Amino acid sequence: MTDNRRAFIKKSVVFGSYSMMTVGGLLASPQAKAEWLAETTSTDILQQTIKRLFKDRKIIESDQIDIQMPKTAENGAAVPITVSSSLDNVESIAILVEKNPIALAAKFELSPDLEPVVSARLKIAESSAVAVIVETNEGFYSASKKVIVTPGGCEI
């Protein structure tokens, strides 16, 4: 009986250790880590994110999207933004920050019964462009605005 119990404990410890190493990333292949590193250090994270989210769909610059946010942000950890649109049948609004490590800051799925107005507070790492992409049943439209983050603001 003690042999069965010892074997059970030994297998439990091995299985638990293996599970923790897998979850912790210690058993990931070096090739997968290299691909992830190359992807995250790319200078064009915004374009990669847009390509992933919207595939190869055409995105048209539009003046019917209004972005309200300060030109200069003293605190990059909480930059207020309000986006509204006069486009018809808005289905979603995506907000992307160009120089953040993760470009997609927010995505809102909207009901056709709602007015297309959303507000949020963004965490912006450094001075960069903020892009808004609005999806309608007719296509994708975009607008952007530059925000300057003063030193001592956000630390990501």
Side-chain angles (χ1 to χ4, degrees):
M1 176 150 171
T2 55
D3 290 335
N4 288 338
R5 193 169 105 202
R6 285 183 183 161
F8 172 76
I9 291 172
K10 194 182 288 186
K11 288 179 183 177
S12 296
V13 168
V14 168
F15 179 72
S17 299
Y18 180 76
S19 298
M20 290 179 63
M21 287 183 354
T22 303
V23 170
L26 296 174
L27 296 179
S29 73
Q31 183 179 7
K33 287 182 181 179
E35 288 174 8
W36 177 81
L37 185 60
E39 184 177 303
T40 58
T41 58
S42 173
T43 57
D44 211 2
I45 294 174
L46 179 64
Q47 292 303 322
Q48 288 178 0
T49 303
I50 290 172
K51 193 176 275 189
R52 260 193 226 122
L53 288 174
F54 305 108
K55 309 295 183 235
D56 289 325
R57 296 182 181 119
K58 185 176 181 181
I59 300 174
I60 303 165
E61 188 77 25
S62 174
D63 59 349
Q64 293 181 319
I65 300 169
D66 183 40
I67 304 171
Q68 296 293 320
M69 65 185 302
K71 290 180 182 179
T72 304
E74 293 179 17
N75 182 4
V79 180
I81 183 171
T82 300
V83 178
S84 60
S85 175
S86 58
L87 294 166
D88 293 328
N89 302 317
V90 173
E91 296 173 3
S92 70
I93 297 174
I95 302 172
L96 300 108
V97 181
E98 179 185 32
K99 294 186 182 176
N100 274 6
I102 299 174
L104 181 63
K107 185 169 183 188
F108 301 92
E109 300 289 332
L110 302 174
S111 167
D113 300 330
L114 296 175
E115 226 178 283
V117 176
V118 295
S119 291
R121 292 201 178 268
L122 304 178
K123 191 170 188 176
I124 300 177
E126 60 184 277
S127 300
S128 64
V130 175
V132 173
I133 299 177
V134 175
E135 179 183 359
T136 69
N137 60 356
E138 297 171 4
F140 294 89
Y141 301 91
S142 71
S144 65
K145 193 169 187 179
K146 188 117 173 128
V147 63
I148 298 168
V149 177
T150 58
C154 174
E155 294 180 18
I156 291 183

